[in-house]
Amino acid sequence: EVQLLESGGDLVQPGESLRLSCAASGFTFSSSAMNWVRQAPGKGLEWVSAIGTNTLYADSVKGRFTISRDDSMNTLYLQMSSLRAEDTAVYFCARFLTNRFDYWGQGTLVTVSS
Amino acid sequence: EIVLTQSPGTLSLSPGERATLSCRASQSVSSSYLAWYQQKPGQAPRLLIYGASNRATGIPDRFSGSGSGTDFTLTISRLEPEDFAVYYCQQYSSSVVTFGPGTKVDIK
C-alpha cells in the first residue's frame, strides 16, 4: 500500500523558517518525481516545487524554499525560509507520474502569523 | 504560464443527475497533460482522469473526460451521494504545473 506521510507543519512568525518532511512507502521512491502542492485555507490547489532529474519551483517561492530528498530514507523535504503570511496553507506531498499526481499525502498545516 | 479557468464555479444538482464540468486553458494543452481531481473537505485530492480521458485506477465508469486543445470536460453520468465535492483540472506544460480554481458540485 502506498503511503505518503507529511510532518513538520507548525505555527511560525513571519520571516522564520520551517522544514517539512514527507515519508514515503509502498513504491519505488528513488525513481519517482516528487512534488509539493499547497492549499491556502478555503482556496484552490497551488503547485509549489518538484524534484526529479532537476528541481523546479513556483515563482511565488523561488529563492525562499528548497526541495530535497533522501532516497536512502525514502523521504522528501521542503525547507522554507523567509516565511510570509501568504505561505499559510496545507502542504501536500505528491508523486508525479509522467503527467499526473497519482499519490497524495494527507497534508501538514503551516500557519505564518505574528 | 498556462492559466486554467473552470466553469461553473458551483454546480447544484440532485443525486442521479448528470454533471458537466468545463476546464478552459489560456493556450493549447496537450491532451496527454490534462488531469482531473476530486477533493472532499479535509481530504487530499484524488486523481480521477489523466491524459484528458483515461480513468485512474479504481475510478468508476460514471466519470469520463474529454476534450482537446483549450477545452476539456469532466462528465459524471449519474451523481452518487459520494460525488458531491470540489473538482480541479490540472495541466503540465514546459515543466510547469497549474491547477484550475475548481468547481464545487453540491446537493440541490
Side-chain angles (χ1 to χ4, degrees), chain A residues 79-114:
Chain A
Q79 178 68 47
M80 304 184 294
S81 61
S82 303
L83 283 162
R84 306 166 180 168
E86 54 264 35
D87 295 318
T88 294
V90 173
Y91 285 73
F92 297 100
C93 68
R95 186 176 83 158
F96 190 73
L97 181 66
T98 307
N99 53 4
R100 72 275 194 182
F101 297 103
D102 60 346
Y103 301 139
W104 296 72
Q106 284 305 300
T108 188
L109 176 62
V110 173
T111 304
V112 184
S113 175
S114 54

Side-chain angles (χ1 to χ4, degrees), chain A:
Chain A
E1 180 193 4
V2 170
Q3 284 197 331
L4 293 169
L5 185 60
E6 302 94 336
S7 60
D10 204 350
L11 169 63
V12 296
Q13 296 194 349
E16 291 188 337
S17 298
L18 196 64
R19 188 177 83 157
L20 306 183
S21 300
C22 172
S25 61
F27 64 98
T28 307
F29 179 79
S30 59
S31 61
S32 297
M34 299 299 298
N35 288 245
W36 289 97
V37 176
R38 69 184 180 184
Q39 186 169 38
K43 303 298 184 182
L45 301 169
E46 179 189 15
W47 172 77
V48 173
S49 183
I51 185 166
T53 53
N54 52 8
T55 58
L56 298 166
Y57 298 94
D59 287 345
S60 58
V61 306
K62 202 172 292 182
R64 300 187 299 121
F65 290 11
T66 301
I67 192 171
S68 63
R69 64 194 297 163
D70 184 340
D71 289 342
S72 69
M73 298 288 290
N74 286 353
T75 302
L76 176 72
Y77 301 101
L78 185 68
Q79 178 68 47
M80 304 184 294
S81 61
S82 303
L83 283 162
R84 306 166 180 168
E86 54 264 35
D87 295 318
T88 294
V90 173
Y91 285 73
F92 297 100
C93 68
R95 186 176 83 158
F96 190 73
L97 181 66
T98 307
N99 53 4
R100 72 275 194 182
F101 297 103
D102 60 346
Y103 301 139
W104 296 72
Q106 284 305 300
T108 188
L109 176 62
V110 173
T111 304
V112 184
S113 175
S114 54

Side-chain angles (χ1 to χ4, degrees), chain B residues 92-103:
Chain B
Y92 172 65
S93 173
S94 301
S95 300
V96 176
V97 168
T98 56
F99 291 91
T103 290

